[in-house]
Amino acid sequence: SLETSFGALKAMISGAGPAFSSHVDGEVLELLERASVHTNRFVREIAYHTVAAIAQSCDIDTLEKLAKRTCTLLAKGLSDNWSQVRYASSIATRHLLTRAQKAGFADSYLPLLLPPMCINRYYVAQGVRIYSQESWRMAMGTRGPELVAKHLDSVVTFYVSQAQADNHAVREAACACITELALKVDKKAVSPKVDILLETLIDCFKDDSWPVRDAACSACGDFILAFPDESKPKMAKLYALWFEHLRDSIPTVREGAAIALGKAVEAYKEEAVKIMEAKLKETIPAVKEQKADSKRMSGFENVTEFGVARRITAKESIENSDKQMYSCGSLAPKMKKRGAGCMDHSFQRPAEPWEVTDGAVYLLREMSANNPDLVGSLMEEAVEMVEKRHYSHHVYLKQTFWKAIPVIAKNMGKRPFKRVMEPLMGPMCDTLLCQNKLAMHAAADCIEFLAKYLGQMIFVGRLDENMKAKIRRSGLISSLNLDAY
């Protein structure tokens, strides 16, 4: 077979060492180039292992002579849909760059190899990701940000193309890399590229894959914080998208949107605060509209029946044959790249009212860092909404709220928080007996934090006998001395 033949060729090259150099010519490279686009991923994989053998075994003069074609070939492999092919190409790239740097001709080919090497440091497959991070440290040392800035045109062009890839894991990695440009690379170099990078992230905001949306959401927050003036023309779009994600059915997406909005407040101060205040006043009471039959992760469906995958028909087998294949873990065939228009996202679905309030709690937490007075004024209403239990998923809102309170308390400071904590005491103790382990432990952790932060005497002094009884019944808190005060 073709795979076996390439395996034999690889073994010959490794065995012969530098003596094989005279046989590595344009014909061999053409064969490897054809194999690199073969439909069978095993053939592509062994082709790149063969390139790795050439990079490791041949003399440096032969390697330098064929470097341009070899690097072009490797760049293609570093962007393959299959993780195993990316890994094989990463091995070959490390061997080539290590030897090319010693010989002094590596810098000429960095525009080809640098962008895909950057992406693979965030790739979903752990083997590819860790190996690529090690290769980056070996090849770039501490010069990474400097080299990225130097070759920024090719890097940005590649990132934009990868953000539109069919593989959702690649799109997610592209968003992470774009974030890195805002955080680590020289701002003067990145500033002219902010517009195209933000447009790319806004496009990823509309992805079917929630990890891609989440990564784009966070990246936009980092960008507007690093480049507030350049980002300002995009803020109307970004606010609309962030507020839409603040009510998403995925909790981590809601939290990511709140974190990004917190960065918007940090960047635009009072202008953003007014927008957040209006949104909080609108979204905190949303749970009042919640029906009793609430849902969690709405909009998703189970594609198996009774845990057993449905057997495909002969017709489906024919229809799905001879199509592009993707690495394990990739949902690329099911996950669309983008929707049409600013708010016409294919992922959009009606939010549950309790999810809207849940997003508001995350936003309260983020706002407390810079606007403690605003958060304090809204705390009593928020507690009132969290107390509601007429719907089946009230425990998830409670869990979010009690996990947020320690952060809010620290951000507000002891004295301001003590002024607003009275309404929290009863609901917090009630949650200890709600029969949902996550919510119960969130409330218990909150109580232990507040007792330590404010002092046991102050905290216990605010508990009535009914609250103390509930704490004892829960058995979750042993650090409180309830009888001493």
Side-chain angles (χ1 to χ4, degrees):
S1 70
L2 191 56
E3 182 189 357
T4 305
S5 300
F6 269 110
L9 177 60
K10 172 183 173 292
M12 289 169 59
I13 295 169
S14 299
F20 197 86
S21 300
S22 59
H23 300 286
V24 180
D25 52 18
E27 187 177 354
V28 171
L29 279 183
E30 184 181 352
L31 179 65
L32 291 168
E33 286 166 351
R34 289 172 61 191
S36 72
V37 294
H38 198 279
T39 55
N40 188 307
R41 69 102 171 160
F42 295 102
V43 173
R44 300 201 303 275
E45 182 184 1
I46 193 63
Y48 284 107
H49 281 305
T50 306
V51 176
I54 291 172
Q56 197 172 17
S57 303
C58 289
D59 62 61
I60 196 66
D61 293 332
T62 303
L63 209 56
E64 185 173 6
K65 181 181 175 183
L66 301 171
K68 185 173 183 180
R69 286 182 70 180
T70 307
C71 288
T72 304
L73 179 63
L74 289 174
K76 190 187 302 179
L78 291 170
S79 306
D80 197 274
N81 278 322
W82 281 86
S83 303
Q84 294 88 340
V85 180
R86 283 188 185 237
Y87 188 74
S89 184
S90 296
I91 293 171
T93 301
R94 180 188 287 189
H95 289 315
L96 176 65
L97 270 182
T98 302
R99 297 190 66 193
Q101 283 181 324
K102 290 179 181 177
F105 64 87
D107 287 356
S108 304
Y109 303 103
L110 284 180
L112 280 172
L113 297 176
L114 194 76
M117 285 179 72
C118 283
I119 287 276
N120 285 340
R121 290 177 304 124
Y122 292 95
Y123 193 65
V124 66
Q126 189 175 27
V128 174
R129 183 171 67 252
I130 293 172
Y131 191 88
S132 297
Q133 289 168 358
E134 290 173 353
S135 295
W136 184 268
R137 285 192 291 269
M138 290 171 61
M140 311 302 171
T142 58
R143 297 173 59 227
E146 176 191 334
L147 290 169
V148 169
K150 182 179 179 181
H151 302 290
L152 195 62
D153 287 341
S154 59
V155 168
V156 169
T157 300
F158 185 78
Y159 285 0
V160 171
S161 68
Q162 292 298 283
Q164 298 169 353
D166 286 336
N167 189 329
H168 76 100
V170 175
R171 301 196 297 274
E172 183 184 352
C175 291
C177 285
I178 291 173
T179 305
E180 198 175 48
L181 293 180
L183 298 177
K184 297 181 180 179
V185 180
D186 180 48
K187 286 182 169 54
K188 288 183 180 178
V190 178
S191 181
K193 306 290 185 183
V194 169
D195 190 66
I196 186 171
L197 290 170
L198 271 179
E199 276 299 329
T200 301
L201 291 172
I202 287 170
D203 203 27
C204 289
F205 243 132
K206 308 165 190 177
D207 205 284
D208 270 359
S209 170
W210 73 261
V212 178
R213 301 201 307 273
D214 197 24
C217 180
S218 300
C220 286
D222 289 324
F223 252 90
I224 61 113
L225 193 55
F227 302 98
D229 295 333
E230 295 90 337
S231 304
K232 203 159 190 178
K234 307 285 185 189
M235 288 308 297
K237 280 185 182 179
L238 288 172
Y239 279 135
L241 288 163
W242 279 326
F243 288 144
E244 194 62 35
H245 282 66
L246 198 62
R247 52 195 287 148
D248 196 276
S249 65
I250 306 293
T252 53
V253 175
R254 295 197 292 272
E255 184 175 16
I259 292 170
L261 286 166
K263 291 175 181 175
V265 170
E266 194 175 342
Y268 298 112
K269 311 299 182 189
E270 283 303 316
E271 178 186 339
V273 170
K274 291 177 182 177
I275 296 171
M276 302 306 151
E277 183 177 3
K279 180 55 66 172
L280 282 169
K281 288 179 178 178
E282 173 195 333
T283 54
I284 288 174
V287 72
K288 290 179 180 179
E289 309 300 323
Q290 180 65 59
K291 296 178 181 178
D293 58 338
S294 60
K295 297 177 183 178
R296 189 166 183 251
M297 305 288 195
S298 62
F300 290 88
E301 61 178 352
N302 185 359
V303 295
T304 63
E305 292 185 24
F306 308 108
V308 180
R310 180 175 61 84
R311 190 180 295 276
I312 63 171
T313 64
K315 181 182 178 183
E316 288 173 323
S317 178
I318 294 169
E319 287 174 348
N320 291 312
S321 63
D322 198 27
K323 299 286 174 65
Q324 176 66 59
M325 295 184 293
Y326 298 85
S327 182
C328 55
S330 172
L331 304 176
K334 295 181 181 179
M335 294 296 182
K336 298 175 184 176
K337 286 180 284 189
R338 56 184 136 176
C342 179
M343 296 304 294
D344 187 22
H345 319 325
S346 57
F347 68 83
Q348 194 176 11
R349 53 189 168 273
E352 291 283 310
W354 77 266
E355 291 173 338
V356 177
T357 301
D358 190 78
V361 170
Y362 283 122
L363 185 53
L364 273 176
R365 184 192 71 187
E366 297 305 313
M367 291 289 291
S368 65
N370 297 300
N371 303 90
D373 292 341
L374 172 61
V375 173
S377 68
L378 297 170
M379 189 63 71
E380 187 172 354
E381 183 182 14
V383 176
E384 184 185 334
M385 297 303 109
V386 171
E387 274 192 284
K388 296 187 180 299
R389 47 189 304 146
H390 64 280
Y391 58 101
S392 55
H393 287 83
H394 64 93
V395 290
Y396 296 107
L397 179 56
K398 287 177 169 60
Q399 179 190 346
T400 300
F401 188 74
W402 299 125
K403 287 174 76 173
I405 288 299
V407 180
I408 292 173
K410 285 181 71 174
N411 287 338
M412 289 183 69
K414 294 181 182 180
R415 184 172 294 178
F417 182 74
K418 282 190 284 188
R419 288 198 291 265
V420 300
M421 71 176 286
E422 197 67 38
L424 278 69
M425 304 300 287
M428 187 160 46
C429 294
D430 289 341
T431 307
L432 292 173
L433 304 175
C434 73
Q435 303 303 310
N436 178 277
K437 294 294 184 184
L438 293 175
M440 290 164 65
H441 280 278
D445 290 343
C446 184
I447 289 172
E448 289 189 319
F449 170 83
L450 292 177
K452 185 177 180 181
Y453 180 62
L454 301 174
Q456 281 212 24
M457 185 172 71
I458 293 173
F459 184 80
V460 175
R462 296 185 179 233
L463 296 171
D464 60 29
E465 290 304 316
N466 186 37
M467 296 174 191
K468 291 179 180 180
K470 288 174 181 176
I471 291 174
R472 291 189 184 98
R473 281 175 58 197
S474 72
L476 296 174
I477 303 166
S478 58
S479 60
L480 275 183
N481 189 346
L482 297 172
D483 299 318
Y485 307 105

